Amino acid sequence: MGLTTKQGGNLVFLKVKDGSILIKDDANEYKDVQGYLAEVRYRTDTFEGNDIETMNITLLSDDGTKYVFPTRVGSKMWATVAGGLVLCDTSKQVRINVGGEKFDKDGTSKIRSFAWVTQNGAIVKSKYSKDNAQAIGLPEWKKVVVGKKTIWDFEAWEQFIKADIKVMCDNLTTPTIQAQPVSAPNPIAVEEKFSTPADDSDLPF
């Protein structure tokens, strides 16, 4: 099981690392978080001279706890999660699931985190998958030359997705949550950290 309730009425900030959801001062690792989509906000921080924009997704659990799930704007995880959320029925609870895949970098084993959305027990395939890009008019990334460097320009792609998110947020309604007993969250087993949905073909990318 994942993280669905922790402490009623609190605002809980989550962190995704090495294929798990983490909470400050909590030794457990979680594989998912579930609730009603309550809010989406953007935040920009500066790290080593670079601006890093994060989209914070707030999910409201049955006991009134608000979980804030962060994902970096422009990343594959962001597009996958956003692409799932915009296709969900936001009057019902959604679940954001997290997994990890091992890879080697410079001889060091690392874990790359990924995420996907489910609702009513079924995977919600991202609207922004490669197979769907042409049909919805999703702008392509373009290579541009800046000085002596060639970089990817994905501004139009990013703004297209943000526009969809805004439409979704403009139509959100806050659900009425009734107080319920709080159940203890269940940490995930180590071997579960690397699990993916049962059918890999259903993954968004």
Side-chain angles (χ1 to χ4, degrees), residues 38-58:
E39 185 180 52
V40 174
R41 288 192 177 189
Y42 296 94
R43 171 175 173 169
T44 301
D45 297 288
T46 301
F47 180 73
E48 295 183 349
N50 296 312
D51 288 339
I52 299 176
E53 187 176 19
T54 302
M55 185 176 80
N56 292 319
I57 303 161
T58 300

Side-chain angles (χ1 to χ4, degrees), residues 118-138:
T118 56
Q119 188 170 53
N120 299 324
I123 295 172
V124 183
K125 190 171 182 179
S126 175
K127 177 180 179 179
Y128 314 117
S129 65
K130 292 180 180 179
D131 293 340
N132 202 36
Q134 186 173 358
I136 64 173
L138 183 66

